[in-house]
Amino acid sequence: MKKYALIGQNIEYSYSPFVHNLITAEAGFESEYTLMSFDAVSLPAFVDRLKGGYDGFNVTKPFKQDIIPYLYTNNSQTGAVNTVDINAGILTGYNTDGTGFLHSLKFNNLDFYGKDVLLLGAGGAARAIAYELDKTCNVSIYNRTTDKVKIIIKELNLKNTNIADITSIKPHVIVNATTLGLKDEMSLPEGLNIDKLEIVYDTIYNPHMTPLLKWAKGCNKVYVNGLSMLLFQALEAQKIWQGITLSEKKIREIYKQLEAKI
Ligand code: NAP
């Protein structure tokens, strides 16, 4: 049986095993997907263990950049890797967060084309989302550590993305790609003008209503959590690992089961 895992730190909240097991069961494949939560010093030992007995793994916070030196080939164009395929001990990296995010917009009938987007965060998920949104939107990135935003814009050669000046921007869309909200913290920076705000997207799915989304609901804005992104980035990973593709009907059925679990 093929073996896969999610690696990260403090990730007990993750629904990845549940979603991957739903996808493979729906596709009629037998494989196993487990969580491996450990701290940064243990990364080399865990990579060795994965190389020895696994067919691939997903990577989440805070290892999406740390994993890159271990790869033989890196196919991610975002400077962050969330999916690794293992073939005869050789590691190949990919990023399915950006495409997963875009598929989730379509799934929720959202179109960000030409919109002014405030992206919160500059970690692995934010990199992947910025890379995709920069192609069709005007993006402002706000992050606790501003230098990381400068690095993303330079490294990814983003043309339509700037460091957010919270006091002057009027975004149509807010996307939260920070970890603020996982433990009930508010991710929205103070002083933002929301006169033009239409849509609030939080990449967090557990809890399904973060303080940001509760606020958006209270303001009568369209609000979406990260559950569909979770599903689509997992589907993209399974396509890479096992060639799995599912019909839209099956994808909607899995989504319903995910919603029921949450
Ligand atoms: P990451 O690389 O560790 O990045 C974490 C981000 O959160 C950084 O921007 C960091 O700011 C910010 N942050 C952390 N603690 C903070 C604090 N106390 N105050 C302000 N900012 C803080 O993590 P990631 O992999 O990008 O994940 C980020 C989020 O996206 C997580 O909540 C994760 O659940 C979500 N996500 C969802 C999906 C999905 O499929 N739905 C997929 C991927 C990620 P600094 O740079 O200043 O440290």
Side-chain angles (χ1 to χ4, degrees):
M1 187 194 292
K2 293 208 169 192
K3 283 171 75 178
Y4 301 94
L6 171 68
I7 66 164
Q9 191 172 350
N10 300 329
I11 51 166
E12 291 72 18
Y13 65 86
S14 175
Y15 278 37
S16 283
F18 185 70
V19 71
H20 278 276
N21 291 333
L22 281 179
I23 292 169
T24 48
E26 197 67 60
F29 282 57
E30 265 192 45
S31 56
E32 177 191 293
Y33 188 105
T34 46
L35 273 190
M36 287 187 186
S37 191
F38 51 84
D39 55 28
V41 288
S42 309
L43 184 61
F46 272 89
V47 171
D48 271 350
R49 184 171 148 195
L50 288 156
K51 261 180 165 174
Y54 284 73
D55 299 281
F57 56 96
N58 284 131
V59 186
T60 190
K61 68 176 185 74
F63 300 132
K64 285 181 180 174
Q65 289 174 272
D66 300 347
I67 196 68
I68 292 173
Y70 298 91
L71 305 174
Y72 185 75
T73 309
N74 181 7
N75 290 320
S76 166
Q77 292 174 307
T78 71
V81 164
N82 80 328
T83 301
V84 176
D85 184 50
I86 307 176
N87 194 345
I90 305 255
L91 271 56
T92 306
Y94 303 85
N95 195 310
T96 67
D97 280 337
T99 40
F101 174 77
L102 290 184
H103 284 306
S104 82
L105 296 187
K106 209 170 158 207
F107 185 79
N108 288 291
N109 294 317
L110 297 176
D111 187 358
F112 290 0
Y113 184 88
K115 296 210 184 280
D116 295 338
V117 179
L118 169 61
L119 175 60
L120 306 174
R127 273 179 172 261
I129 292 170
Y131 179 79
E132 296 300 339
L133 289 183
D134 184 74
K135 296 172 189 170
T136 58
C137 303
N138 303 306
V139 184
S140 304
I141 306 181
Y142 177 82
N143 190 49
R144 174 177 64 176
T145 316
T146 309
D147 279 354
K148 283 199 195 166
V149 183
K150 288 185 193 156
I151 292 168
I152 290 182
I153 293 172
K154 193 164 171 231
E155 274 186 17
L156 304 187
N157 195 20
L158 302 179
K159 302 287 184 223
N160 299 308
T161 300
N162 294 294
I163 299 170
D165 177 355
I166 291 298
T167 55
S168 69
I169 55 170
K170 293 181 186 171
H172 302 108
V173 176
I174 298 172
V175 178
N176 176 39
T178 72
T179 50
L180 292 177
L182 286 173
K183 292 190 181 142
D184 215 31
E185 318 95 322
M186 181 47 136
S187 50
L188 187 71
E190 280 178 21
L192 181 71
N193 185 318
I194 59 161
D195 287 355
K196 292 200 300 181
L197 187 64
E198 299 163 10
I199 305 163
V200 178
Y201 187 118
D202 203 325
T203 62
I204 293 173
Y205 57 86
N206 186 13
H208 73 287
M209 284 298 280
T210 57
L212 176 70
L213 292 185
K214 285 178 191 163
W215 168 81
K217 186 180 179 190
C219 299
N220 286 322
K221 308 297 177 191
V222 174
Y223 60 95
V224 179
N225 69 21
L227 197 60
S228 51
M229 178 176 167
L230 172 76
L231 173 55
F232 283 100
Q233 60 80 27
L235 281 162
E236 292 291 306
Q238 286 293 347
K239 200 191 287 179
I240 291 165
W241 289 332
Q242 309 203 73
I244 291 176
T245 52
L246 294 177
S247 66
E248 197 183 327
K249 186 169 171 265
K250 283 193 171 175
I251 292 172
R252 293 216 173 257
E253 279 166 16
I254 292 176
Y255 186 74
K256 270 192 200 150
Q257 292 183 60
L258 269 175
E259 272 191 319
K261 182 163 171 77
I262 285 214

